[in-house]
Amino acid sequence: MPKAAPETSVKSRATTAPSLSDDERAALDRAIGDLQRGARTWAQLTLDQRARLLDSLHATVSAVAEEWADVAATSKQLEPGHPLRGEEWLSGPYGTLTAFDAYRSTLRTLARGTSPLAGVKTDAAPGGRVRAHVFPLSAVDGLLLSGYTGEIWFEPGVTADEARRTAGLAQLTPTHSGGVGLVLGAGNVTSIPVLDVMYELLAHNRVAILKVNPTQDALVPVFERALAPLIEPGFLRIVRGGGDVGAYLTGHPGIAHVHITGASATFDAIVWGPQSGPGAGASTRRRRENRPQLKKPITAELGGVSPIIVVPGRWSDADLRFQAEHIATMRLQNSGHNCIAGQVVLIGAEWPQREAFLAALRAAYEAAPRRPVWYPHSDARLEAAASGYPDAAWCADGTRAIVDIAPGDDPTALETTEYFAPVLGVLSLPGNGQEFLDAAVAHANDKLAGTLGANLLIDPETQAALGDGFERAIAELRYGTVSINSWTAFGFLTATLTWGGFPGATLQNVESGIGVVHNALLLDRVERSVTRGPFRPFPRSLDPRALAASKGRSFSVLPKPPWFVSSRTGTAVSEGFTRFRMNGDYAKLVGTLVQAFRA
């Protein structure tokens, strides 16, 4: 019989939260008690049974996918017919379904006694690292996302044999229970709470109580139906509430572990205590003396200031426009309310095409469809940007800003404040070629807050000219996801990649968080994920010089990606891709691909 976490008695309840009623506390206690029983049940399931549970989840998510996307879009004030409603298909049910499918494949592979890395290509990465080429792993992925690839880079010293042997994490010891975990759900992207729950369950054998962020309260009925196969046997409970509920649960003795996706200030308040007000002094002392008030382990994903490094090259006018739209997407998707939104463009001061590119960027930023700035407190962040940078260029009726840092201006606020709103900075650095790239990498590492994700744009000819120096520069970037000619959101949505800050964060200096999520192959000792995409979409990806320079790796049959804010058919294609993941109907997929070529 597996060992389970002790059940919580009335006498061992967490410290009372004065703002909660006795009935509210009792309901939370009952939920944790249900989960403690569910943890024992989970530990008795075979890997095949867990895989079949993923089959059921695929069906229940598919049944509510349309409602999920509609409720999410409506809650973000995107009315029916708005051209950006497709975002909610991709970042909600699509990301969830692809993750469930990938986890199911991993469980079935492990059930056969085979490593999830069996058959996956591995080779050497710079700095004595091993990397695994984990995307695409199927012909379907290669078709839908032509030209995009994903790699896992392991920590230096990890061998390919070790990576294969340890792949599976807690599913290598499925009868060992991790107890009950608390997931404090994100409020900006609707798949995050669900994917965090699944990682608790599969990477750690922990059942979970999910406290939904109040911004997603409208989705709770959808989540309850989508996740019914986890709720009914006691593997999941979903609760609503604000900080008082979160405080009660984090201190509850029945909770073995806490995971949060959110802001570093919230993390610090959980770990050390209030950061302002009457309790701030005690919090400061605890931190100084390294005596956290939280007496259980915690993992976190906390965002940061993401760089977009634009390596100087010889770009066509079409290249300038496409990559300007790419950057506008990185900043404006979800109205900038993303932990992975690109915030600071690092550009060559001596690049002859600098001004032409910035003109294209301003045009793309202005032309992107208008949408509300909906996340709580975003107006205050925009006001702070306006106050700190009075010369900023405001676009789209004054709802989004570009701050071009002039010589002598202070970039500190842009470099250290995650605005979580449509504020985009531009900072010029000296040099060209390798000199610029090395300076940009050093600037991103040393000046920008956080370590979550870095983006880099480079044409195939320039990359070929840099040779090994380019890959060495990528290895020097201290970020959990590095995206080359793609956006780190692609890493977030690719289930076989990891998502989280660069290793090395601590409770004292949490950076962009501790630990990773997603990671559907359940790999251990991962340092980073690296994604690569086509610099040019189809048909310009057929350029013979680029193909020769990249040895064919720059080829793609994908036109403008559906997640671009400038895509004319993004909603139709995003919905079509999701429905294909739901039903596998190739005939209807053909129609979706036709729509993709009209983007």
Side-chain angles (χ1 to χ4, degrees):
M1 187 75 173
K3 184 177 179 181
E7 291 196 18
T8 305
S9 68
V10 173
K11 292 182 180 180
S12 66
R13 287 177 185 168
T15 303
T16 59
S19 58
L20 294 181
S21 69
D22 289 343
D23 288 346
E24 289 171 322
R25 290 194 293 272
L28 294 173
D29 290 343
R30 285 194 299 273
I32 293 173
D34 292 345
L35 289 165
Q36 289 170 328
R37 291 184 287 275
R40 293 197 294 272
T41 303
W42 175 258
Q44 295 170 0
L45 296 185
T46 67
L47 296 180
D48 279 326
Q49 288 172 320
R50 296 176 186 190
R52 287 197 293 274
L53 182 64
L54 269 294
D55 285 331
S56 298
L57 284 165
H58 187 281
T60 51
V61 168
S62 297
V64 302
E66 183 171 354
E67 182 183 3
W68 180 337
D70 180 64
V71 171
T74 301
S75 72
K76 297 178 181 183
Q77 303 172 40
L78 297 178
E79 68 279 1
H82 194 285
L84 297 179
R85 284 174 71 93
E87 292 179 359
E88 299 310 315
W89 281 95
L90 285 182
S91 63
Y94 178 90
T96 302
L97 287 168
T98 55
F100 285 178
D101 289 347
Y103 282 129
R104 177 177 55 190
S105 176
T106 291
L107 288 170
R108 288 176 174 164
T109 299
L110 289 167
R112 296 193 299 268
T114 304
S115 169
L117 273 182
V120 175
K121 177 186 174 182
T122 59
D123 59 12
R129 297 171 175 87
V130 166
R131 65 181 164 194
H133 297 263
V134 300
F135 185 89
L137 294 179
S138 70
V140 168
D141 286 336
L143 171 66
L144 296 186
L145 294 162
S146 171
Y148 287 83
T149 62
E151 309 156 12
I152 292 287
W153 290 26
F154 294 92
E155 296 173 355
V158 176
T159 65
D161 285 343
E162 179 185 351
R164 283 189 289 269
R165 186 177 65 254
T166 58
L169 297 179
Q171 300 312 300
L172 296 174
T173 54
T175 60
H176 179 76
S177 173
V180 179
L182 168 63
V183 172
L184 298 172
N188 59 328
V189 174
T190 61
S191 64
I192 292 177
V194 177
L195 297 180
D196 289 351
V197 164
M198 291 308 301
Y199 199 66
E200 286 290 287
L201 197 59
L202 295 173
H204 305 292
N205 278 332
R206 274 195 292 268
V207 299
I209 184 166
L210 166 62
K211 192 196 85 65
V212 173
N213 188 290
T215 63
Q216 295 195 7
D217 277 352
L219 275 166
V220 169
V222 178
F223 286 161
E224 288 173 340
R225 297 198 300 281
L227 303 177
L230 297 180
I231 295 171
E232 291 166 1
F235 305 151
L236 172 66
R237 289 292 180 267
I238 302 174
V239 299
R240 294 179 172 95
D244 50 358
V245 173
Y248 184 75
L249 291 172
T250 55
H252 202 292
I255 297 295
H257 179 274
V258 176
H259 177 79
I260 176 176
T261 298
S264 58
T266 306
F267 177 91
D268 288 342
I270 292 170
V271 172
W272 305 106
Q275 302 299 292
S276 60
S283 172
T284 300
R285 285 194 300 275
R286 279 192 291 269
R287 191 165 193 160
R288 184 174 61 246
E289 297 167 3
N290 198 24
R291 294 185 298 104
Q293 72 169 8
L294 185 70
K295 305 303 181 185
K296 59 196 67 173
I298 183 171
T299 52
E301 189 265 275
L302 304 174
V305 175
S306 292
I308 307 167
I309 299 173
V310 179
V311 181
R314 295 179 62 186
W315 295 9
S316 69
D317 290 344
D319 293 337
L320 295 172
R321 288 193 300 272
F322 180 78
Q323 295 301 344
E325 292 176 15
H326 199 174
I327 292 178
T329 297
M330 295 181 194
R331 179 71 267 184
L332 297 179
Q333 199 270 356
N334 199 23
S335 204
H337 309 315
N338 288 330
C339 57
I340 47 175
Q343 181 165 307
V344 175
V345 179
L346 299 176
I347 192 169
E350 301 160 25
W351 185 26
Q353 293 180 287
R354 178 186 182 278
E355 293 306 319
F357 180 70
L358 292 182
L361 178 57
R362 286 189 290 268
Y365 209 64
E366 169 68 34
R370 272 50 166 178
R371 63 174 301 166
V373 176
W374 63 270
Y375 203 78
H377 311 301
S378 294
D379 287 344
R381 297 188 184 98
L382 289 174
E383 290 172 5
S387 175
Y389 296 101
D391 295 330
W394 289 86
C395 306
D397 304 319
T399 59
R400 55 188 75 147
I402 295 180
V403 181
D404 189 355
I405 298 293
D409 288 350
D410 184 2
T412 303
L414 272 171
E415 293 173 334
T416 59
T417 303
E418 183 186 14
Y419 283 103
F420 214 69
V423 177
L424 180 67
V426 177
L427 185 62
S428 299
L429 298 176
N432 282 296
Q434 193 71 48
E435 179 187 7
F436 167 82
L437 179 56
D438 291 343
V441 167
H443 193 97
N445 285 341
D446 299 338
K447 299 294 186 180
L448 304 189
T451 63
L452 186 61
N455 310 277
L456 193 147
L457 305 178
I458 184 170
D459 64 85
E461 297 88 349
T462 300
Q463 182 175 338
L466 295 179
D468 291 343
F470 177 78
E471 292 295 320
R472 288 196 298 272
I474 296 305
E476 289 297 316
L477 276 167
R478 296 194 296 270
Y479 287 84
T481 297
V482 177
S483 290
I484 304 155
N485 293 332
S486 55
W487 176 27
T488 48
F490 176 75
F492 170 88
L493 281 178
T494 301
T496 49
L497 296 172
T498 56
W499 184 250
F502 195 75
T506 65
L507 297 183
Q508 290 277 4
N509 183 22
V510 72
E511 292 277 357
S512 287
I514 297 171
V516 299
V517 290
H518 304 180
N519 188 23
L521 298 179
L522 301 178
L523 305 178
D524 197 17
R525 295 186 64 189
V526 171
E527 181 185 66
R528 75 183 80 198
S529 293
V530 176
T531 74
R532 303 174 196 260
F535 180 75
R536 300 180 178 99
F538 184 86
R540 293 192 302 110
S541 60
L542 296 174
D543 181 278
R545 293 176 305 162
L547 290 172
S550 68
K551 298 180 181 179
R553 290 189 297 270
S554 64
F555 174 72
S556 173
V557 297
L558 188 70
K560 182 182 293 185
W563 56 85
F564 268 41
V565 293
S566 55
S567 173
R568 291 177 295 182
T569 59
T571 294
V573 175
S574 298
E575 179 180 348
F577 279 4
T578 306
R579 291 192 182 279
F580 176 75
R581 294 296 186 179
M582 292 160 56
N583 55 35
D585 189 329
Y586 279 91
K588 291 183 178 179
L589 177 62
V590 171
T592 297
L593 295 176
V594 170
Q595 289 276 48
F597 279 90
R598 296 178 54 239

